[in-house]
Amino acid sequence: MSLQVGIVGLPNVGKSTLFNAVSAAGAEAANYPFATIEPNVGVVPLRDERLDTLARLAGSAKVTPTSVEFLDIAGLVAGASRGEGLGNQFLGHIREVDAIVHVVRCFDDPDVVHVDGSVDPARDIDVIRTELLLKDLETVERRAERASRTARAGEKGAVETAERVARLQAHLAGGEPARAFPTGEEDRALLRELGLLTAKPVLYAANVGEDEIAGNHHTDVVRAIGDKEEAEVIVVSAEAEAQIAELDADERAEFLADLGLERSGLDQLVEAAYRLLGLITFFTAGPTEARAWTIREGTRAPQAAGGIHSDMERGFIRAEAIDCDVYAALGSEAAVREAGKLRVEGKDYLVRDGDVLLFRFNV
């Protein structure tokens, strides 16, 4: 499953530094706007202790984690919706992603110029939000004109469509994002058709200095905005994470301990992005390989099997399922079977996060 998260924000907020830390793609980080013109792509593994445990118990020769794909999108500026600062190109990149990580500058550093001259998270968030809203309004206005023409022509269902588009237009004009638009099935179909920027789920990454990982007054502002929007906020120091990313496992643990952390901010960010995309993980484990697989929440067993190979979905018979915690507690698949803890699930089974699955199929 290929789903992408776009890293967005104003210039010089730490987007590329953060991106460098989560991938080996080597995006250029420079102290001036538009250091990144084309979006850089990085595939970031999702650290999952459950997979490591399964691999150890199954004696797996190979371990393959699941991952999240991040795009580093160049900094937006005020006026982007009108084409300022290559705005149309950048907004086009945002349109292609499935979710957004909005990096907000919460650090003070006189050596890193802020595009607006001062650190003000609320203002910065509003700049990005406004530009995305204005672009969406432009998109919806064009759709409203078309809907009005078809309604006048008397096409079937055209009046209802025109009314629906008008409600959406008023919603956006009131400063509310499309993801907060009250939707029925027809409304959702309209949003899918339009591909609006503000319909995409968002999480905020409050970027602080290395000595402020516990937070500062700027992060309180971001958290308040996140609470209002029901959006998750992760506090992260891109500068520290860039250092952590270069360390081996033992050095990494020591560095985190020195910072008073159990887990890095990037690990938290990748997990949050995974949740934001509505994804869950199931596992397969054996002597050859232990592997994590990504599916959307609500996926049925045959479709999950199809993510491994299309023949497995086509010839699906049943899924043999073990909860990963049960597997870990009992120590082996054989012990799980002996204890009667293996479940046999049919084609209507909704796969759960943490399932260890063996698919039976015949083609």
Side-chain angles (χ1 to χ4, degrees), residues 27-51:
E28 180 184 3
N31 183 23
Y32 55 90
F34 318 122
T36 307
I37 302 301
E38 293 298 326
N40 296 275
V41 182
V43 179
V44 188
L46 181 68
R47 299 180 196 275
D48 196 325
E49 292 180 359
R50 300 175 299 178
L51 178 62

Side-chain angles (χ1 to χ4, degrees), residues 99-121:
I100 294 170
V101 171
H102 183 165
V103 181
V104 184
R105 179 168 172 172
C106 294
F107 64 90
D108 293 289
D109 186 342
D111 294 328
V112 180
V113 178
H114 190 291
V115 69
D116 287 322
S118 63
V119 177
D120 186 337

Side-chain angles (χ1 to χ4, degrees), residues 202-220:
V202 172
L203 73 86
Y204 292 104
N207 186 19
V208 300
E210 184 176 330
D211 58 348
E212 297 178 317
I213 293 176
N216 59 29
H217 67 284
H218 293 309
T219 63
D220 293 338

